[in-house]
Amino acid sequence: MKKFVADVMLGRLAKQLRLLGFDVLYERTFGDDEIIHLSLVQQRVILTRDAALVRRPLASNHCYLRSEKTAEQLKQVLADFSLSDSATPLTRCSLCNEPLIPIPKQNAQDSVPPFIYEQTKRFLHCNRCNKTYWNGSHIQRMYFLRRKGC
């Protein structure tokens, strides 16, 4: 499966790709040299809108995103790498990129709104940033996008 590293301009895209289950490194503090280093050492595709970064010889493994809009960027990445059928929603933390682990429902009670707790059977948790996830309407919209070929 493709792995990515996103530049500082693409935080929203990184989050969307992570919610779809893709391995995307992103930190606001990443400079161009660090992005290139991560790309080379970890065999990651650089996601960028930075034309100067694209021109650097060591940044040849890149995807230059044409649009400023996150939804269009997401469509481009999914299409350029034929990833629509590879998405595995709710397998990675949208904040830190760590794999999510299933937790018993009772362990989620104090970290989700009461109405979500009552209506939801399956919860996932990130041990790194302590965030709890569930299959909400945002995930359903992602499934819809996948069926539409985005």
Side-chain angles (χ1 to χ4, degrees):
M1 178 166 301
K2 288 281 185 204
K3 299 187 300 182
F4 303 95
V5 57
D7 76 16
V8 70
M9 296 182 260
L10 300 174
R12 288 184 179 155
L13 175 62
K15 182 176 182 176
Q16 292 295 310
L17 286 167
R18 288 172 176 172
L19 283 170
L20 288 172
F22 298 106
D23 184 346
V24 184
L25 294 182
Y26 169 81
E27 292 289 336
R28 285 186 189 157
T29 59
F30 284 169
D32 289 356
D33 290 341
E34 188 169 8
I35 289 170
I36 291 170
H37 175 77
L38 289 166
S39 172
L40 293 171
V41 171
Q42 297 182 16
Q43 298 178 347
R44 292 179 178 272
V45 175
I46 299 169
L47 300 175
T48 187
R49 288 203 24 80
D50 182 348
L53 176 57
V54 168
R55 286 192 299 268
R56 293 183 58 179
L58 292 177
S60 61
N61 188 17
H62 69 267
C63 176
Y64 181 76
L65 298 161
R66 298 176 294 273
S67 178
E68 293 180 11
K69 297 179 181 178
T70 305
E72 294 299 317
Q73 293 168 350
L74 181 60
K75 287 179 187 178
Q76 181 184 339
V77 171
L78 294 177
D80 286 0
F81 297 99
S82 302
L83 296 176
S84 291
D85 293 333
S86 302
T88 53
L90 287 182
T91 55
R92 289 197 170 271
C93 179
S94 65
L95 299 177
C96 71
N97 199 45
E98 285 294 308
L100 299 175
I101 58 166
I103 58 170
K105 180 174 179 166
Q106 63 269 20
N107 290 15
Q109 186 169 11
D110 294 334
S111 59
V112 300
F115 70 95
I116 295 294
Y117 182 77
E118 293 301 322
Q119 296 177 358
T120 306
K121 294 179 182 175
R122 181 175 177 253
F123 293 93
L124 300 133
H125 188 75
C126 175
N127 283 336
R128 182 173 177 201
C129 68
N130 208 30
K131 184 172 169 72
T132 301
Y133 291 83
W134 62 92
N135 191 346
S137 60
H138 60 293
I139 300 301
Q140 297 306 319
R141 284 190 300 274
M142 285 184 204
Y143 284 125
F144 175 76
L145 288 175
R146 277 184 55 207
R147 287 193 302 271
K148 291 291 185 179
C150 296

